Amino acid sequence: MQLLLAVVSSGYAVGAALGWGSEELAEIMGDFGLSAAGLLAAVSCFTYARAIDSRERPAWLLFAFSSLMGCCGNAVWGWYEVVLGEAVPKPSLADFAFLCFAPPAIVGLLVLAKRPVTRAGWVCLGLDSWLIGGSLLTLSWSLALAHAARSAQSGAPGSVPRAALSLAYPLLDIALVSMVLVLHFRRSETNRSAVNTAIAALALTVLSDALFTSPLLSAEYQSGQLLDAGWFAGSLLLAYAPWGARRLPPGPETAAPAHVRAERPHSRPITGSLPALTPYLAAAVCTLGILYNVVDGRKVDRVVVFTGCTVVLALVIRQGIMLLDNIALTQELAQKENHFRSLVQGSSDVIMIAAPTGTLRYVSPAAAGVYGREAEELVGTELATLIHPEDLGRVVHEVRRFLAAPPAEEPTTRIECRFRSGAGEWLNVESTVNRHQGGLILNSRDVTERVRLQAQLQHSAEHDPLTDLPNRALFTRRVRQALTGRRAGDHSTAVLFIDLDGFKAVNDTIGHQAGDELLIEAARRLQDSVRAGDTAARLGGDEFAALILGDGSRDRTAREYQVHEIADRLRTTLSQPYRIAGSEVRVAASIGVAFADPGITPSDLMRNADLAMYRAKAGGKNRVEMYAPQMQAEVVRKAELAGRLRTALHDGEFALLHQPVVSLASGEISAVAVQARWRSAQGILFTPAEFLRVAEYSGGGGAGGGGAGEGGHHAVPDASRTAELGRWLLEEAVGQAAERHRAGHDVPVAVRMTAQRLLDRSMPLGSVEALLARNGLPSGGLVLELAVSDPRVPFDDLERRLAALHRLGVLIALDGFGSGYAAISALRRLPVDMLKLDRGLVEGVVESPRLHKITAGLLRIANDLGMQSVAEGVDLPEQVMALRAMGCTHGQGMAFSGPLDEYRLRRALVRGTFPVPGGAAQPALAGGSPGGSMVIRRGSHNETPVPPA
């Protein structure tokens, strides 16, 4: 665009200089050529004004109108000279159009100018315009305009209009030149290139007008001369201004960073001083006009005197305004300086200014309190010498990155490093950094306490509060680090899961405080036993873990042997006696080991070690177990079985079997004991011990605190599921017993229930009473076989609960008599009607004289207390005879009958009695198949054998 503009303007100038080859072509180019250029400028400015939406739009519309007036004036001129072939009259419509060129251009320049914000600013703007305009008027009047005025006063015909017209042109040009000069120093920053180009176009037009109105050229001017090239170039430049200037590539002004552009005016003080010199330059021009009259020997013209006086007066007024502004600015600057000095000196933060070389130029007085060093001592010091060497590289990198970033996108940055104090200590300092004349301003504060607190909080979040070992979160992160990075290919890394066997007994016997002390000592032993690069951690409760980093060995067998030795050494160390509260305490350790197989995740590796640890506990405790893939397969199988157990009750897969309780004296059936059986959808029959183990697997607990309990997250029976099964068992047993009672079989039903279950809040008080009333079971129809195995059971609550049930006629049997800790306490405090001997005593009563004496003693206690006694697990005739001889009143077992379904039970109740073996007798009814054959399946916990249903 710029090249095209230069070529077209130069071509017109060359053509005008050569006269265009003919007079007719010169007139056409001098009239209609200028008219076409003016029309192009008008259309260009109008189109641009329509395309923008800002405060500049009126200015470009005015420029379009001004160019249109110039186009019309040249068109009228051409009409006379080219079409009519006659001289242009003076005045004419062309003069009217040319006179309308300057006013809209002047108003357009005012719109583009940076508007003053105060009245004084507007006054200064008017004074500056008059200073320039009056000075030019003085000089022009002295040179040419006075002659035109005197010609008008001569009284020649037509001289007055021609003189007025000759005066109007230069006066409007002077006004336009004044605005151009004044607004050159007040132009707005928006679209600055376009505004500069428009000012240049108008200046070129005014210069051509000035030459045209001069006495030397006005008399000899003809269309198509070289003077027209100025008007032509001015019109093209105005047409180019709004579009071409916008498309210019970024120059030094726009491409430079903002902080460089901001500092550029300071490097050109002359340019910044020109606005202040403008009034003095105008006064000098005015003085030249007056001197021209004096030197030439002419009489001083009144117009020159009056104009000169007004210029001097305007200069004096403007200087007075500037003086008042300077005084106000000086006071405001002093006030702000005092204000900021007070802020800086009173701030608790240290404010430092560093030169581009890194030397400190200024340090606020707060440095004495923060750094322990006087501000004067720090001034002139290299900033790098005060920063910790380990932090220096990071700080330099951040500062370079910050200075290279665009200020508009990143005006500030924050840097934290260690700073040397006056006492030689390293303080943690946080600094907010800003740019300042190529250097930096640092607003710094001491954050040492905050950093220490953060480090302490971080340590607390990653370490166990009791033992100070890494906790599960930190241990998991270190396992992840060991499996990634450069160690990703080392598959000899191992994880050990450690559980303290017998820790719960320590809590229960000597208290939780002693348990905490034991855990602390165990943690110390574990920490001392692992290698320097390995990690020992406490996962929760009495569970610990160790991460044994690999040594890059590819011999898996040798590595397993080595790790097994480490684990066994840990087991031995942790199993040594502990001196707690003045007494010796012993616990053992079960350890599971898992290796980092290729592609394994941290969670899977820790899960494998956990499974191996549970296998070690199930295998007898106090041992080391290596993980094997079949462990996971077993877990998956149990999980599937647990999933089926969740819906077994709702799908009707549970059934009740009844085993008769027989009088050892008469063989009569005195009661029936209920047992639950689960026949899964796959046809597998599970005893209670088997499906309760599934419930144990599907259950879970929370991680314990210091002495909170043993096992951390060990599986415990799912309370909700066992409670639901217990409710179903009791309701079914009572319901079927009530039906048998209505059928004439008045035999009590015995239901086993734990003391914890009886006191469970999910089993409301009165639920058993309501169940008996709802089913119509008479008094004495229900026997609760109570199992007291937990030492934490509150005997006061249990006593009140059993007393209430006993008043309703519910019989209470103490189950498992002869085992457990609570037998004597239960006999002393609870309303017990009968004792049920533990199966372990019955099984060895014939073979073991020791068990024979123990059993005889227990039965003697029952007889002395007037209680009935029931022996469970009486499977052999010899056991029947031995128990009867010792005074046992009732027996339950395969010597009489196995568990029966409802149909076979009623058949047995119709018969009423079983033969009591006096020798090697067989049971009267064992619930076998119609063919008499019997398939017996032993329970995993020595339960009564299960016949096929």
Side-chain angles (χ1 to χ4, degrees):
M1 291 293 294
Q2 292 174 323
L3 181 61
L4 179 62
L5 178 65
V7 169
V8 173
S9 299
S10 300
Y12 190 96
V14 171
L18 298 177
W20 298 103
S22 65
E23 186 177 350
E24 293 78 6
L25 182 58
E27 291 181 350
I28 294 175
M29 293 301 298
D31 296 333
F32 293 111
L34 294 180
S35 179
L39 181 62
L40 178 62
V43 173
S44 175
C45 293
F46 179 77
T47 305
Y48 178 71
R50 291 284 302 274
I52 62 173
D53 186 15
S54 65
R55 61 179 293 269
E56 297 180 4
R57 174 183 286 182
W60 293 102
L61 289 175
L62 290 170
F63 291 155
F65 180 76
S66 178
S67 300
L68 182 62
M69 291 296 98
C71 167
C72 294
N74 284 297
V76 171
W77 201 288
W79 174 263
Y80 281 107
E81 285 190 342
V82 177
V83 177
L84 299 180
E86 59 186 42
V88 181
K90 292 187 178 182
S92 66
L93 290 177
D95 295 318
F96 175 77
F98 288 144
L99 291 175
C100 291
F101 173 82
I106 294 173
V107 178
L109 289 174
L110 285 174
V111 173
L112 288 179
K114 184 186 297 184
R115 298 178 181 178
V117 294
T118 62
R119 292 182 179 179
W122 284 105
V123 172
C124 288
L125 177 62
L127 291 175
D128 289 344
S129 301
W130 173 243
L131 283 172
I132 297 174
S135 301
L136 294 177
L137 176 61
T138 301
L139 187 59
S140 301
W141 186 270
S142 301
L143 295 176
L145 298 182
H147 177 73
R150 285 192 292 269
S151 299
Q153 293 177 356
S154 61
S159 61
V160 174
R162 284 194 298 272
L165 187 61
S166 62
L167 290 175
Y169 278 118
L171 290 178
L172 289 176
D173 287 340
I174 289 173
L176 188 56
V177 168
S178 301
M179 294 307 303
V180 167
L181 292 176
V182 171
L183 297 180
H184 171 72
F185 305 113
R186 292 180 176 267
R187 58 188 181 277
S188 175
E189 295 295 329
T190 58
N191 203 4
R192 191 168 184 176
S193 299
V195 174
N196 288 340
T197 307
I199 290 177
L202 294 176
L204 186 59
T205 303
V206 169
L207 178 61
S208 300
D209 286 345
L211 294 175
F212 172 73
T213 56
S214 65
L216 298 176
L217 296 179
S218 59
E220 300 179 357
Y221 170 79
Q222 291 182 357
S223 296
Q225 289 182 348
L226 188 59
L227 184 60
D228 292 345
W231 285 312
F232 184 81
S235 297
L236 290 186
L237 197 60
L238 187 59
Y240 164 80
W243 306 102
R246 285 165 56 92
R247 298 176 184 175
L248 286 174
E253 188 70 22
T254 58
H259 67 282
V260 177
R261 296 198 302 269
E263 295 178 1
R264 188 164 295 166
H266 298 285
S267 63
R268 294 187 298 174
I270 296 179
T271 303
S273 302
L274 284 178
L277 295 176
T278 301
Y280 303 103
L281 295 176
V285 172
C286 181
T287 304
L288 289 177
I290 297 175
L291 290 177
Y292 176 79
N293 283 277
V294 173
V295 172
D296 198 29
R298 300 179 184 177
K299 183 180 179 181
V300 178
D301 195 285
R302 285 177 296 177
V303 174
V304 174
V305 174
F306 177 78
T307 305
C309 291
T310 56
V311 168
V312 173
L313 180 62
L315 179 61
V316 172
I317 294 175
R318 192 185 188 285
Q319 289 300 107
I321 294 175
M322 289 182 62
L323 179 60
L324 294 177
D325 283 346
N326 288 338
I327 294 174
L329 288 175
T330 302
Q331 294 176 349
E332 183 179 358
L333 181 60
Q335 183 180 1
K336 288 184 177 180
E337 184 177 354
N338 292 331
H339 176 69
F340 284 109
R341 181 181 292 108
S342 300
L343 288 177
V344 170
Q345 294 182 350
S347 174
S348 59
D349 292 351
V350 181
I351 300 175
M352 301 182 293
I353 300 178
T357 59
T359 304
L360 293 177
R361 291 178 175 174
Y362 173 80
V363 179
S364 66
V370 176
Y371 299 147
R373 305 179 68 174
E374 295 297 331
E376 295 78 6
E377 179 186 349
L378 292 175
V379 173
T381 306
E382 291 290 336
L383 186 60
T385 61
L386 304 175
I387 299 175
H388 196 284
E390 296 179 1
D391 300 339
L392 183 58
R394 175 174 54 84
V395 172
V396 171
H397 174 76
E398 175 62 20
V399 169
R400 289 176 178 174
R401 184 203 61 78
F402 170 66
L403 292 177
E409 297 179 5
E410 190 174 4
T412 64
T413 188
R414 182 166 295 179
I415 296 176
E416 187 169 328
C417 63
R418 285 168 289 181
F419 200 90
R420 186 188 299 275
S421 69
E425 300 176 351
W426 292 106
L427 304 177
N428 293 93
V429 175
E430 181 186 67
S431 301
T432 302
V433 183
N434 295 271
R435 300 173 180 84
H436 177 69
Q437 297 181 0
L440 299 172
I441 295 180
L442 298 94
N443 193 343
S444 306
R445 62 205 62 88
D446 183 8
V447 293
T448 304
E449 290 300 324
R450 190 195 71 186
V451 171
R452 290 175 182 171
L453 179 59
Q454 287 178 344
Q456 182 179 354
L457 293 176
Q458 181 72 18
H459 182 85
S460 300
E462 295 179 340
H463 289 77
D464 176 60
L466 179 66
T467 63
D468 204 39
L469 288 180
N471 59 13
R472 183 181 294 271
L474 180 56
F475 183 76
T476 303
R477 183 160 68 251
R478 292 189 178 176
V479 171
R480 183 178 296 108
Q481 292 171 355
L483 298 182
T484 56
R486 61 185 180 88
R487 291 185 174 271
D490 187 359
H491 306 308
S492 59
T493 296
V495 168
L496 280 61
F497 264 45
I498 307 165
D499 184 85
L500 300 182
D501 303 322
F503 176 72
K504 182 176 183 296
V506 176
N507 277 342
D508 296 339
T509 54
I510 60 177
H512 292 282
Q513 179 64 33
D516 290 345
E517 293 179 10
L518 190 148
L519 289 175
I520 294 173
E521 176 62 21
R524 186 190 63 77
R525 294 183 185 182
L526 181 62
Q527 183 68 49
D528 293 342
S529 300
V530 298
R531 300 175 304 179
D534 298 335
T535 300
R538 183 189 178 212
L539 304 183
D542 61 339
E543 278 197 351
F544 296 87
L547 172 64
I548 310 299
L549 296 178
D551 57 2
S553 174
R554 297 185 178 272
D555 189 347
R556 180 63 177 266
T557 304
R559 181 59 176 167
E560 288 183 357
Y561 179 78
Q562 180 185 6
V563 173
H564 192 281
E565 278 192 336
I566 295 175
D568 196 61
R569 186 173 66 252
L570 289 176
R571 181 193 62 78
T572 303
T573 302
L574 295 173
S575 301
Q576 295 295 322
Y578 295 83
R579 195 72 181 173
I580 305 295
S583 60
E584 190 176 273
V585 178
R586 290 181 178 269
V587 294
S590 296
I591 301 179
V593 182
F595 282 92
D597 295 327
I600 195 170
T601 63
S603 59
D604 288 343
L605 179 59
M606 296 173 65
R607 179 206 61 197
N608 293 347
D610 203 13
L611 291 176
M613 184 265 290
Y614 281 121
R615 176 59 64 90
K617 294 180 72 68
K621 301 182 179 181
N622 194 20
R623 59 197 303 267
V624 177
E625 189 76 29
M626 309 292 289
Y627 171 77
Q630 57 266 27
M631 295 181 185
Q632 180 63 22
E634 182 180 351
V635 170
V636 173
R637 183 187 66 82
K638 287 184 178 180
E640 293 175 351
L641 191 60
R644 295 200 298 268
L645 177 60
R646 293 187 183 98
T647 58
L649 272 177
H650 303 286
D651 294 345
E653 296 180 4
F654 277 91
L656 281 187
L657 299 181
H658 301 77
Q659 190 171 28
V661 178
V662 179
S663 172
L664 297 183
S666 62
E668 294 181 354
I669 302 176
S670 59
V672 291
V674 298
Q675 297 179 8
R677 295 293 184 268
W678 172 31
R679 184 178 296 278
S680 68
Q682 288 72 25
I684 304 174
L685 187 66
F686 295 98
T687 64
E690 290 172 321
F691 60 68
L692 282 179
R693 278 200 306 274
V694 175
E696 288 178 4
Y697 170 77
S698 62
E710 180 179 3
H713 66 280
H714 292 175
V716 297
D718 188 345
S720 61
R721 194 162 298 115
T722 54
E724 185 180 3
L725 180 60
R727 284 194 298 270
W728 174 86
L729 180 65
L730 182 62
E731 292 174 358
E732 284 291 310
V734 172
Q736 292 183 16
E739 291 180 2
R740 288 193 296 271
H741 176 73
R742 287 189 288 271
H745 303 296
D746 190 10
V747 179
V749 61
V751 180
R752 181 175 296 173
M753 182 178 293
T754 63
Q756 293 88 342
R757 172 65 187 143
L758 188 62
L759 297 177
D760 190 358
R761 292 183 179 180
S762 64
M763 185 176 182
L765 293 175
S767 58
V768 177
E769 294 86 337
L771 180 63
L772 295 175
R774 185 169 65 250
N775 289 276
L777 188 65
S779 176
L782 175 63
V783 179
L784 286 182
E785 296 180 350
L786 188 67
V788 183
S789 59
D790 193 338
R792 293 173 294 183
V793 172
F795 263 85
D796 293 337
D797 297 343
L798 184 60
E799 183 179 2
R800 286 192 296 269
R801 182 75 176 120
L802 291 178
L805 293 174
H806 203 264
R807 286 193 294 269
L808 291 176
V810 177
L811 301 177
I812 308 299
L814 187 59
D815 188 38
F817 189 68
S819 66
Y821 82 101
I824 302 302
S825 298
L827 284 177
R828 182 172 60 87
R829 300 185 58 180
L830 302 180
V832 179
D833 298 300
M834 62 184 70
L835 299 179
K836 196 165 186 180
L837 292 178
D838 183 72
R839 180 186 295 271
L841 297 176
V842 176
E843 288 178 345
V845 73
V846 176
E847 296 84 358
S848 173
R850 186 180 184 87
L851 289 179
H852 188 280
K853 291 181 180 181
I854 294 175
T855 305
L858 294 175
L859 291 173
R860 192 178 303 114
I861 293 174
N863 291 332
D864 292 344
L865 294 175
M867 298 180 182
Q868 295 181 353
S869 54
V870 180
E872 184 182 6
V874 183
D875 298 335
L876 301 175
E878 294 84 355
Q879 295 171 344
V880 176
M881 292 184 292
L883 291 168
R884 184 172 55 185
M886 286 185 285
C888 184
T889 60
H890 296 80
Q892 172 188 342
M894 292 300 295
F896 305 103
S897 172
L900 307 174
D901 59 16
E902 187 67 21
Y903 172 73
R904 290 180 175 81
L905 175 62
R906 294 205 180 193
R907 285 177 54 195
L909 292 176
V910 169
R911 178 168 297 185
T913 60
F914 287 93
V916 178
Q922 296 295 327
L925 181 63
S929 59
S933 61
M934 181 179 295
V935 178
I936 298 177
R937 177 180 177 182
R938 295 282 181 181
S940 60
H941 284 188
N942 297 325
E943 292 185 344
T944 303
V946 183

